[in-house]
Amino acid sequence: MSRFRRLRSVGAPTLAIAAVLALAACTPGASSSPASNKAPSGRVVTDAAKLGKVQLSVLDYFTGGTDATWMKDVVAAFHKKYPNITVNRTSMSWGDVMQALPLKLKSSNPPDIVPANNGWQSLGTLVQGHLVLNLDRYAKSYGWRSQVPTSIQREHEFSDDGKQMGTGSLFGMPVARSSMIEAYYNRALLHRIGATVPRTLGDFESDLAKAKAAGVTPISLGNLEQVGITGPLYSVMNALGQQDKISDLIYSQNGVKITDPATGFPAAVAAVKGWADKGYFTKQFSSVAGQDAAQDFVDGKALFRFDYSGSLPLKPGQSKGFGSFVLPNQHGGAPVATNSSATNFSVSEKSKHAAAAAAFLNFAASKQAAQMAVSTGTMPMLDPDVKAGNGDPLFSDDVSNAAEVSSKNASVPYLDWATPTLLTTMQTKMQDLLAGKTSTADVVKAAQADDATFQAKLAK
């Protein structure tokens, strides 16, 4: 699984999606009268054993490692429960899936289930193109609205016209695995500087100062690819902002602007700049690759690191030297995390086996699937009662963090989901800021301009 996969991908895949949808009317096989995004009516069969023999095709990007193991286990368990349904998987790299997805869904024989990424560039575009199924009647029949925290549900919601995100109908369903940005720490270094796991944001900043004074790099960062800075930036934004304002900003709801102090963004940009000026990040971080910085952290060369759950390049037996937490919220209460499921599964609008597809989505989000995630050493989601074993303290922290965020409904989506171009804008401007070439105000101004431009396009 590609690290930073949940961030918006820009470039060729984006252009491909846009081009395909622009050519929808002249694509061979495309309907001249697009299907409605309204939820279909009629009876829903939730006992998949009564659906007869079904060959269900699934496209995913779980090509190797624990991703592939978990998916294989889920498919096997689903087939064992419903032997009348055979799941035929096709796995491709994430980039290839994003590139090929629109054309596959437009074909005469599309996959029944596809891994559309959240946000405007993938799922939103597919909703606008009437290529994925409105899942509301299945959500009602299976009870997904009560099963899935509302902060996660919103990541899969769009209005029927596809012009509003984070509200309306469900066009996707999370699986029982989490993809969360956490703060990792080195236990030995924390003990060496006389600190403990921070319980407040003030504690965390105090630990940074202690580490610097002790000659320890406070935060591991490699920003050669420009994306590494988003880990600390998003985490600090969540700690300083208000969860509802951050979510409304990203979903373009209630007129929230990125300049609003309640989003935490202006203060987070300033805080990250301040940490850089104090020498809290890896030396020469702008020329250090992200993977090299991660390896340096594992090798004991920094106290903290912001990264995705399960992304550290640990060898067997090394995890006992590390722990994880979600950066404490300055307002008190549960820490807020940038978090989503490891994949969104949507159903093709053309699927002839929608009921069987919905049954598979329901199973992939179940407690049994969450337990399979833990068994394969990956962070579960949706079921706070799933526990890790006692043999891996880092993984126990990860599972505990996931349980708290899920039970407290404390997720926010990735900031770069707000517009198709915001990630590039932030990366470029943050690089300039950290290099001393621009100001904090200019970063905030550029982000607001990016958002405003996209809002104007949405309004047309």
Side-chain angles (χ1 to χ4, degrees):
M1 180 173 62
S2 172
R3 294 173 67 249
F4 303 111
R5 178 180 52 74
R6 302 302 300 179
L7 300 173
R8 292 272 63 79
S9 176
V10 295
T14 306
L15 296 174
I17 291 171
V20 167
L21 292 176
L23 295 172
C26 57
T27 299
S31 171
S32 59
S33 178
S36 168
N37 277 330
K38 298 286 186 183
S41 58
R43 189 172 66 92
V44 171
V45 177
T46 55
D47 184 356
K50 297 180 178 178
L51 294 174
K53 293 288 186 181
V54 176
Q55 295 286 328
L56 195 63
S57 59
V58 178
L59 176 65
D60 65 63
Y61 40 68
F62 295 145
T63 56
T66 54
D67 290 334
T69 301
W70 176 81
M71 188 65 180
K72 180 181 177 181
D73 290 350
V74 168
V75 167
F78 179 75
H79 183 64
K80 182 178 181 181
K81 184 174 183 179
Y82 301 112
N84 57 309
I85 301 177
T86 299
V87 176
N88 301 306
R89 290 178 58 202
T90 299
S91 297
M92 303 167 61
S93 70
W94 184 81
D96 287 344
V97 168
M98 293 302 108
Q99 181 85 19
L101 193 51
L103 285 176
K104 283 186 174 293
L105 287 172
K106 280 186 169 297
S107 72
S108 59
N109 186 30
D112 295 296
I113 296 174
V114 297
N117 203 1
N118 305 84
W120 290 110
Q121 286 192 13
S122 184
L123 184 56
T125 308
L126 299 179
V127 171
Q128 292 177 7
H130 306 282
L131 295 175
V132 290
L133 192 66
N134 183 320
L135 298 173
D136 277 356
R137 66 173 178 160
Y138 297 104
K140 181 178 181 180
S141 298
Y142 281 107
W144 291 345
R145 291 292 190 181
S146 59
Q147 173 189 350
V148 180
T150 55
S151 60
I152 295 297
Q153 286 184 44
R154 293 187 73 186
E155 297 181 356
H156 306 267
E157 291 177 344
F158 279 88
S159 59
D160 288 346
D161 62 5
K163 291 188 174 182
Q164 289 184 299
M165 179 172 62
T167 186
S169 299
L170 281 176
F171 286 90
M173 183 66 178
V175 300
R177 287 184 49 205
S178 177
S179 178
M180 181 189 300
I181 296 177
E182 300 175 279
Y184 292 92
Y185 66 94
N186 182 305
R187 295 180 187 274
L189 291 180
L190 197 66
H191 178 74
R192 176 177 148 187
I193 66 170
T196 57
V197 178
R199 301 300 180 193
T200 68
L201 189 59
D203 290 345
F204 180 73
E205 295 204 296
S206 176
D207 290 350
L208 297 179
K210 289 179 180 177
K212 181 66 177 177
V216 175
T217 299
I219 301 174
S220 160
L221 174 64
N223 203 42
L224 178 63
E225 304 90 346
Q226 298 187 8
V227 72
I229 197 63
T230 55
L233 179 64
Y234 292 3
S235 295
V236 180
M237 180 178 175
N238 297 340
L240 297 175
Q242 299 174 18
Q243 182 186 359
D244 59 339
K245 298 297 184 183
I246 296 171
S247 296
D248 281 348
L249 163 67
I250 297 168
Y251 294 133
S252 307
Q253 302 287 320
N254 299 317
V256 175
K257 294 184 177 180
I258 203 165
T259 52
D260 186 338
T263 67
F265 184 76
V269 173
V272 170
K273 170 62 172 168
W275 292 353
D277 290 346
K278 293 176 180 177
Y280 286 172
F281 293 128
T282 299
K283 289 182 179 178
Q284 306 296 324
F285 59 83
S286 62
S287 60
V288 176
Q291 286 287 13
D292 290 342
Q295 187 60 58
D296 284 348
F297 175 73
V298 169
D299 291 341
K301 298 179 181 178
L303 177 59
F304 294 115
R305 176 171 176 79
F306 293 93
D307 211 332
Y308 282 72
S309 47
S311 292
L312 295 180
L314 295 165
K315 296 178 181 177
Q318 279 189 308
S319 62
K320 62 183 179 182
F322 300 90
S324 66
F325 60 92
V326 177
L327 201 61
N329 194 313
Q330 75 161 358
H331 306 292
V336 174
T338 298
N339 181 36
S340 69
S341 63
T343 188
N344 165 84
F345 273 145
S346 295
V347 178
S348 167
E349 193 276 336
K350 294 181 180 178
S351 174
K352 298 177 182 176
H353 308 295
F360 183 80
L361 266 55
N362 186 63
F363 189 81
S366 67
K367 182 175 183 177
Q368 185 175 350
Q371 190 61 58
M372 291 176 189
V374 171
S375 298
T376 55
T378 59
M379 182 183 279
M381 192 173 179
L382 303 178
D383 197 319
D385 293 334
V386 173
K387 306 296 183 186
N390 296 322
D392 187 334
L394 174 58
F395 188 55
S396 293
D397 282 354
D398 285 348
V399 175
S400 177
N401 295 337
E404 181 176 22
V405 170
S406 184
S407 64
K408 300 292 179 57
N409 195 24
S411 298
V412 293
Y414 290 76
L415 175 59
D416 47 277
W417 291 5
T419 87
T421 54
L422 187 57
L423 179 60
T424 302
T425 298
M426 287 191 301
Q427 288 175 335
T428 303
K429 285 296 181 180
M430 286 300 295
Q431 184 184 47
D432 289 346
L433 175 69
L434 299 177
K437 298 178 179 178
T438 192
S439 66
T440 298
D442 186 54
V443 175
V444 177
K445 182 180 178 181
Q448 175 56 37
D450 185 294
D451 190 45
T453 300
F454 181 66
Q455 294 306 313
K457 291 179 180 177
L458 275 182
K460 292 181 178 178

